Amino acid sequence: MRVHDPSIKIPRAVDRWFEHPSGADELVLRNLLLQHRAARLAELNADLKKQWDRLNNAETALKNKPTKKASEDQRIATAKIEALEKRRPLFEHWLPTRLDDRIFPLQYAPIVLMVDGKPVLRLARYHCRQNGKPATIDREKDGLYNARRDNITRFWRNEFGNTHALMLVTSFFENVDQGGRNAVLHFTPQPAETMLIACVYSVWKDPAGGRDLLSFAAVTDDPPPEVAAAGHDRIIINLGDAAAKRWLSPEGRTTAELQAILDDRQRPFYAHEVMAA
């Protein structure tokens, strides 16, 4: 799908699963991935040429007759060339980068859900578009990657108790206000562990007959003291092993039972570092 629709974003860590294919199916995926990379690299090179032309024209103009426009074109073109060159390695090789494992809203990420009684891994978009809602809801409600527990029996009533999933992560990031400036905090459980994050998902059916969209949201709740003290008012729910298994099989469970599952969570200390400000 991504070969034909470059708006689909998938973390490079998932791409690297197929660096060394095992079997014919994985080889097909690897070749499609390389086709996607080649198309993105061609777009990047076209953008680079455009910016180099802009920079050269601006520098020529500045030599002949300095103007505000030429100066601004020089500044913008230089910044864009630098940004594009930083992106080039993403499409030229398999080497990991620090952002490969990050999952951002509207990107696709691997989740675990039950299919015919068995847990399977699926790529799903991290921003849940509920079935029956118009596609425009993606723009109208920009926080649909977050299924607040205090709203889960209302807004998320069709998913809660029906379509549950898990997202496996080792840490998480939050934007917080620090003295009027945004800061990105990186939270890591102590001791380190793989967190089993409670999620809900939906399969959106395109009324125009297009492809289905599998998307999900992480269930969030009030934060523990150390997260609240850092300036954030929510936290993803990190389930224990037994609770995670029950969460994946919600059929026949009462609302009270499902809420009790969400209470059966891991409670490590979440240390944090400031990533950007």
Side-chain angles (χ1 to χ4, degrees):
M1 289 164 53
R2 187 171 52 168
V3 170
H4 304 288
D5 184 358
S7 69
I8 294 174
K9 306 299 182 184
I10 301 173
R12 284 184 84 244
V14 174
D15 289 350
R16 295 207 316 275
W17 292 351
F18 306 102
E19 179 180 1
H20 303 291
S22 174
D25 289 342
E26 291 190 9
L27 180 59
V28 169
L29 289 174
R30 184 181 189 276
N31 289 337
L32 287 169
L33 194 156
L34 293 176
Q35 185 179 338
H36 160 75
R37 284 187 177 181
R40 303 293 78 76
L41 186 59
E43 291 175 354
L44 186 147
N45 286 333
D47 286 344
L48 268 174
K49 182 181 183 307
K50 185 185 301 182
Q51 296 306 320
W52 274 113
D53 288 344
R54 183 181 187 181
L55 179 61
N56 291 332
N57 290 337
E59 290 179 341
T60 298
L62 288 171
K63 290 178 181 177
N64 297 329
K65 184 180 179 181
T67 65
K68 183 178 180 181
K69 180 182 182 304
S71 179
E72 190 69 0
D73 281 349
Q74 181 188 48
R75 181 187 66 80
I76 294 173
T78 300
K80 287 188 174 182
I81 289 170
E82 182 180 352
L84 288 166
E85 288 292 356
K86 285 182 179 179
R87 291 182 59 216
R88 181 190 293 278
L90 301 179
F91 308 113
E92 288 186 328
H93 59 61
W94 297 89
L95 297 176
T97 74
R98 65 181 182 85
L99 291 177
D100 287 0
D101 297 297
R102 290 280 300 272
I103 299 168
F104 296 92
L106 295 173
Q107 284 189 347
Y108 280 68
I111 59 172
V112 178
L113 49 84
M114 299 297 286
V115 176
D116 297 327
K118 296 180 179 179
V120 298
L121 201 64
R122 291 280 188 270
L123 282 178
R125 196 188 69 175
Y126 183 39
H127 190 272
C128 192
R129 183 193 301 170
Q130 297 161 308
N131 189 36
K133 301 287 187 181
T136 54
I137 198 170
D138 289 349
R139 297 189 302 272
E140 295 164 359
K141 295 183 178 294
D142 60 4
L144 293 180
Y145 54 88
N146 172 12
R148 292 176 62 104
R149 187 178 178 185
D150 55 13
N151 202 21
I152 203 165
T153 58
R154 297 187 297 276
F155 186 86
W156 301 99
R157 61 187 179 278
N158 292 328
E159 293 75 32
F160 182 56
N162 295 298
T163 49
H164 291 187
L166 296 172
M167 176 171 55
L168 279 62
V169 302
T170 55
S171 63
F172 60 95
F173 298 79
E174 300 291 358
N175 289 281
V176 303
D177 179 86
Q178 290 190 342
R181 299 182 62 187
N182 182 70
V184 179
L185 304 187
H186 182 203
F187 290 91
T188 306
Q190 303 294 324
E193 63 179 3
T194 297
M195 297 182 284
L196 309 177
I197 305 305
C199 301
V200 293
Y201 72 89
S202 183
V203 179
W204 183 81
K205 302 288 185 178
D206 187 347
R211 67 172 183 253
D212 295 345
L213 171 67
L214 174 63
S215 58
F216 75 102
V219 182
T220 62
D221 203 354
D222 295 333
E226 69 273 17
V227 174
H232 198 60
D233 63 351
R234 310 296 300 164
I235 192 170
I236 48 181
I237 296 180
N238 176 15
L239 297 176
D241 290 343
K245 292 177 182 177
R246 296 197 302 274
W247 179 255
L248 285 177
S249 302
E251 300 83 1
R253 301 187 190 276
T254 66
T255 297
E257 289 174 320
L258 294 171
Q259 294 285 13
I261 291 173
L262 293 175
D263 285 329
D264 187 8
R265 66 185 74 174
Q266 300 293 92
R267 300 182 185 274
F269 180 86
Y270 293 101
H272 76 273
E273 59 178 334
V274 180
M275 300 298 294

